[in-house]
Amino acid sequence: TDVLGRPRDDLLGRPYAEFVHDDDRAEVRRTLAAACADGAAATFEARALHRDGSTRWVSWNVTSLARERSLYL
């Protein structure tokens, strides 16, 4: 909420891609797909969109839980 200038309710239940800069979305998708495929954790940086329209560099950590077919960012 602090980094993106958005209330918690605005973030929950919305696809993460809505908050990723357009130029970074393809690389983020590739990184997440690789994490899903091998079940490994991954760390990467990508720009996130602030409520005011500016961008923020964010370090993302992702963990894949194959049993649950889930990714945790």
Side-chain angles (χ1 to χ4, degrees), residues 7-69:
R8 185 176 187 266
D9 290 342
D10 191 31
L11 297 168
L12 294 176
R14 293 178 58 191
Y16 75 89
E18 288 184 22
F19 305 108
V20 176
H21 190 282
D22 289 343
D23 293 344
D24 296 342
R25 285 184 185 165
E27 183 61 29
V28 169
R29 277 192 213 103
R30 281 190 290 275
T31 301
L32 296 179
C36 282
D38 65 16
T43 300
F44 60 97
E45 291 185 351
R47 290 168 286 184
L49 303 172
H50 191 275
R51 184 177 186 174
D52 68 9
S54 64
T55 58
R56 305 287 195 274
W57 280 99
V58 177
S59 178
W60 303 69
N61 296 300
V62 61
T63 302
S64 172
L65 297 179
R67 278 191 324 249
E68 296 177 19
R69 297 177 47 125

